[in-house]
Amino acid sequence: MLQVKNVDAFYGPIQALRNVSLEVNEGEIVSLIGANGAGKSTLLMSIFGQPQVRQGSIHFAGEDITQVASHHIAKRGLAQVPEGRHIFPAMTVEENLIMGTVPVGLEHVDADRDAMFTLFPRLKERCNQRAGTMSGGEQQMLAIARALMGRPRMILLDEPSLGLAPKVIATVFDALKHIAASGKTIFLVEQNANQALALADRAYVLVNGSVRMEGSGAELMANPEVRQAYLGGH
């Protein structure tokens, strides 16, 4: 469904990605792990056209989206939950969810909102609350739910566990399992390698802007080098 081929990307003069190739098949959960500054977020943003790649190509659902504008990419069924969540703090939970329907319109809004309230009961409780007054975990749930309101075929998540308590992280990752079981494809960028590899069908390790390793989540979890570098050596 997603194919990244020989991609180079830069921030100004600094090269952030070097000859990166990876793929995500329909219905998979694929995780990308790596240290801070490895280029994980840059890759997700490059898939959405910001920054545009200098070399290489990105295909989604068989179509070359390398030079396609971000809002057109969203209309093709790709959604992103950015690092830092970027919800609309002055809007209520419900208003944030409605904003998520922009790529598809309001035809299914009631059914989809109810589905989000089933997935994240906390959002139903907070339905009329301003999003900026909620906890970090609740805001993360809202960011994921808002992305799903656009009925994407695939969802990209950038560091969903960042700054959250362990109990909240478990809730978010449980929700991701449900989302995958409902037929969505997930590409997850995550510093929390334990969680990311436990969830993933397949995973890639990014080091200094290059893919260093790939394999099933279980294979990478068992890999001594990965354990030493990302799993606390246990």
Side-chain angles (χ1 to χ4, degrees), residues 109-123:
V109 65
D110 292 336
D112 289 353
R113 181 180 48 212
D114 289 347
M116 292 308 105
F117 288 159
T118 302
L119 183 65
F120 295 117
R122 189 69 61 82
L123 296 183

Side-chain angles (χ1 to χ4, degrees), residues 6 13 26 35 45 57 66-67 79 86 113 116 119 127 195 199 211 226:
N6 308 123
E26 189 161 358
M45 293 192 292
S57 66
T66 316
Q67 301 298 328
H86 295 282
R113 181 180 48 212
M116 292 308 105
L119 183 65
C127 183
Q195 292 280 3
L199 185 71
V211 173
V226 172

Side-chain angles (χ1 to χ4, degrees), residues 28-31 157 160 169-170 172-180 186-188 190 192-203 216-218 221:
E28 277 191 315
I29 303 177
V30 173
S31 292
L157 293 118
I169 292 171
V172 168
F173 274 79
D174 271 351
L176 295 182
K177 276 185 209 155
H178 284 294
I179 293 162
I186 294 176
F187 185 41
L188 171 71
E190 181 56 75
N192 186 329
N194 277 304
Q195 292 280 3
L197 295 178
L199 185 71
D201 298 306
R202 290 187 307 108
S216 72
M221 229 167 176

Side-chain angles (χ1 to χ4, degrees), residues 4 7 14 46 55 77 100 110 123 126 133 149:
V4 175
V7 159
I14 298 163
S46 295
Q55 293 281 338
D110 292 336
L123 296 183
R126 303 273 190 268
T133 64
M149 290 293 287

Side-chain angles (χ1 to χ4, degrees), residues 26-227:
E26 189 161 358
E28 277 191 315
I29 303 177
V30 173
S31 292
L32 179 70
I33 65 168
N36 223 342
K40 303 186 304 297
S41 293
T42 304
L43 177 60
L44 275 203
M45 293 192 292
S46 295
I47 292 167
F48 251 85
Q50 303 280 343
Q52 284 208 321
V53 303
R54 191 84 60 90
Q55 293 281 338
S57 66
I58 298 168
H59 286 75
F60 175 64
E63 186 180 359
D64 189 338
I65 60 166
T66 316
Q67 301 298 328
V68 173
S70 302
H71 60 285
H72 288 307
I73 292 173
K75 285 200 162 117
R76 283 167 169 78
L78 194 57
Q80 186 171 18
V81 180
E83 185 182 340
R85 304 185 263 278
H86 295 282
I87 52 154
F88 301 107
M91 291 185 178
T92 65
V93 166
E94 185 164 27
E95 287 165 345
N96 268 273
L97 292 177
I98 290 168
M99 289 299 285
T101 65
V102 167
V104 290
L106 291 168
E107 187 185 347
H108 304 285
V109 65
D110 292 336
D112 289 353
R113 181 180 48 212
D114 289 347
M116 292 308 105
F117 288 159
T118 302
L119 183 65
F120 295 117
R122 189 69 61 82
L123 296 183
K124 187 172 188 178
E125 293 167 23
R126 303 273 190 268
C127 183
N128 298 311
Q129 189 171 325
R130 282 178 192 257
T133 64
M134 300 198 302
S135 71
E138 290 163 348
Q139 291 184 18
Q140 186 63 62
M141 293 172 200
L142 178 58
I144 294 169
R146 184 182 62 186
L148 290 170
M149 290 293 287
R151 297 201 151 200
R153 297 173 62 187
M154 179 173 178
I155 186 165
L156 312 177
L157 293 118
D158 194 357
E159 302 282 9
S161 78
L162 198 65
L164 302 184
K167 196 172 168 186
V168 182
I169 292 171
T171 302
V172 168
F173 274 79
D174 271 351
L176 295 182
K177 276 185 209 155
H178 284 294
I179 293 162
S182 76
K184 304 273 184 221
T185 303
I186 294 176
F187 185 41
L188 171 71
V189 163
E190 181 56 75
Q191 248 184 298
N192 186 329
N194 277 304
Q195 292 280 3
L197 295 178
L199 185 71
D201 298 306
R202 290 187 307 108
Y204 295 86
V205 180
L206 199 65
V207 180
N208 296 329
S210 301
V211 173
R212 184 68 57 84
M213 279 182 266
E214 60 180 283
S216 72
E219 282 166 357
L220 289 181
M221 229 167 176
N223 180 302
E225 204 181 326
V226 172
R227 291 170 81 89

